[in-house]
Amino acid sequence: MKKTVLVSGGAGFIGSHVTVELVQAGYDVVIADNMSNCDDTNYRGVCSILGRELPFIKMDFCDGDAVNELFAKYRIDAVIHFAAFKAVGESVDEPLKYYRNNLLSFLNVLEAARSQGGCNVLFSSSATVYGEPEELPVTEKSPRQPATSPYGDTKQMCEDFLRDCVRAYPGVKGIALRYFNPIGAHPSALIGELPRGVPNNLVPFITQTAIGRRECLSIFGNDYPTEDGTCKRDYIDIVDLAKAHVCAVTRMVEGRMKEDYEIFNVGTGRPVSVLELVNAFEKVNGLKLNYKIAPRRPGDVVAIWADPSLANEELGWKAERSVEETLAAAWAWEKHLAGK
Ligand code: UD1
């Protein structure tokens, strides 16, 4: 009997890649999305990769009745909750928007999980919960630091909601995956990142500069205490990241969790500086990028990368793609979008 996974935010960047991997691993997937931050490009891409339509429900997870109806209609074995706002800067300007959307939508998921007598809940968390880490690489035992934005606060709070609900409500089990920096696109170039307006994140800004949509990439700071002075991150390929979700869901539905609430870092363990990433992009794609050094961006941490050994051992998952392969995929996607 096939298991059914509900993917909230399934039309987005991460949700669409996870949907593809889940279906290819033999799961039935129900996609739900309010399309507030995307169009149907990725949904259509998912259907063409898989060669069939998937159940798609346009709905807002802040509507508790709608979430309960969804759970009543489909026999949901696991829910993966991606539906959330994610722009760090905007969350500082509009905290209420972030608190209302990101917290309420997850509370509704947990409420539905509880009222149907339990469910496996996978929460999409972030390395942002570690703040500026004292020790590198960070393990799941590294302390969470006070969040530097309301966006980061919502990630911490939702982790706590999940932990507490698992403790209180029988049958509710949870995994939080803490992503480092997801980048890239599906090798088919049919799904990928679709930022609205000016991208906040590095790789979409790089690809849009390379294609000519942006004039020049600003590298935010080259006076950090790192080898080349630019910040270091753990860039994780989006397909590798998606596969970690399949491993986590399978661990839950097969009853192989060691504790009812578990946390895993999803990263490569490989720090890459901004300049190294730009150089790798230029080299693998055979082009020159227009960039300049600009002032530091407020709120950026100097360096953060994962110790992914817990996920390697417990989930049987490992990041496989090189940063070059991933940057080639990101560029293929940008060209696909531009019709080139
Ligand atoms: C941010 C969020 C993270 C979220 C991720 C989504 C924080 C502190 N960070 O990570 O939670 O999961 O986005 O992908 O909450 N950079 C430039 N020029 C640019 C853009 C970025 O130099 O135009 C640099 C930044 O200074 C940083 C690196 O590139 O050093 C990565 O930035 P970005 O892609 O925005 O990700 P994070 O800030 O690491």
Side-chain angles (χ1 to χ4, degrees):
M1 178 82 176
K2 274 189 161 188
K3 302 280 186 190
T4 302
V5 183
L6 169 62
V7 179
S8 85
F13 174 44
I14 304 181
S16 58
H17 288 82
V18 170
T19 297
V20 167
E21 296 305 314
L22 282 168
V23 171
Q24 288 178 341
Y27 287 96
D28 280 332
V29 173
V30 177
I31 300 174
D33 204 303
N34 67 359
M35 310 302 277
S36 69
N37 198 30
C38 62
D39 59 21
D40 66 354
T41 306
N42 275 332
Y43 173 69
R44 284 188 287 103
V46 166
C47 297
S48 24
I49 292 168
L50 298 172
R52 65 184 167 92
E53 298 279 309
L54 294 183
F56 174 86
I57 294 106
K58 185 166 187 290
M59 59 167 282
D60 191 332
F61 272 69
C62 290
D63 178 348
D65 291 339
V67 178
N68 285 328
E69 275 170 37
L70 192 62
F71 273 77
K73 181 167 176 200
Y74 296 94
R75 203 186 41 78
I76 306 292
D77 297 289
V79 51
I80 309 184
H81 186 61
F82 294 112
F85 294 145
K86 60 172 185 179
V88 178
E90 184 189 49
S91 80
V92 176
D93 298 334
E94 293 192 65
L96 282 174
K97 176 176 170 180
Y98 276 67
Y99 289 133
R100 183 175 295 110
N101 186 60
N102 293 9
L103 303 182
L104 184 57
S105 61
F106 194 47
L107 289 174
N108 286 334
V109 167
L110 292 168
E111 188 67 57
R114 180 191 66 91
S115 44
Q116 68 157 21
C119 192
N120 297 301
V121 181
L122 196 163
F123 177 63
S124 162
S125 190
S126 165
T128 194
V129 303
Y130 295 115
E132 180 89 64
E134 275 157 27
E135 277 185 357
L136 287 166
V138 288
T139 75
E140 293 77 358
K141 291 199 164 60
S142 300
R144 291 190 328 192
Q145 307 280 0
T148 51
S149 70
Y151 160 79
D153 272 316
T154 68
K155 291 295 176 195
Q156 294 196 348
M157 288 182 210
C158 286
E159 284 191 353
D160 295 345
F161 293 171
L162 183 55
R163 178 201 62 203
D164 295 346
C165 287
V166 163
R167 203 181 283 154
Y169 306 124
V172 177
K173 300 199 190 321
I175 290 183
L177 295 182
R178 290 178 176 162
Y179 314 143
F180 283 69
N181 287 58
I183 62 164
H186 195 265
S188 65
L190 292 171
I191 54 176
E193 204 165 357
L194 271 173
R196 287 218 164 142
V198 182
N200 293 308
N201 297 118
L202 180 58
V203 169
F205 209 104
I206 289 177
T207 56
Q208 289 195 8
T209 306
I211 207 99
R213 281 181 69 189
R214 311 278 154 210
E215 206 174 308
C216 183
L217 167 76
S218 291
I219 294 185
F220 298 138
N222 69 346
D223 57 352
Y224 284 100
T226 59
E227 288 82 349
D228 64 20
T230 64
C231 297
K232 288 175 158 184
R233 295 288 184 273
D234 184 336
Y235 295 95
I236 167 87
D237 181 86
I238 187 67
V239 177
D240 280 340
L241 179 93
K243 287 181 175 161
H245 293 73
V246 177
C247 297
V249 163
T250 305
R251 180 178 174 92
M252 290 199 282
V253 299
E254 290 182 354
R256 289 192 281 106
M257 295 174 74
K258 288 195 175 152
E259 287 169 45
D260 289 345
Y261 172 57
E262 296 178 327
I263 299 172
F264 297 103
N265 284 342
V266 185
T268 65
R270 170 192 64 201
V272 175
S273 75
V274 177
L275 265 178
E276 284 170 340
L277 196 85
V278 167
N279 292 336
F281 180 84
E282 291 183 326
K283 193 163 171 220
V284 70
N285 296 314
L287 44 82
K288 276 277 159 224
L289 199 69
N290 194 19
Y291 69 83
K292 63 173 187 219
I293 305 298
R296 291 182 179 193
R297 182 172 70 175
D300 274 340
V301 303
V302 181
I304 182 163
W305 66 93
D307 176 344
S309 39
L310 193 67
N312 298 163
E313 284 154 25
E314 292 296 326
L315 297 180
W317 167 89
K318 202 170 185 324
E320 280 167 2
R321 287 170 109 190
S322 68
V323 87
E324 287 79 13
E325 283 174 282
T326 305
L327 291 170
W331 180 228
W333 163 245
E334 189 67 59
K335 286 192 288 185
H336 167 79
L337 282 179
K340 291 186 185 168

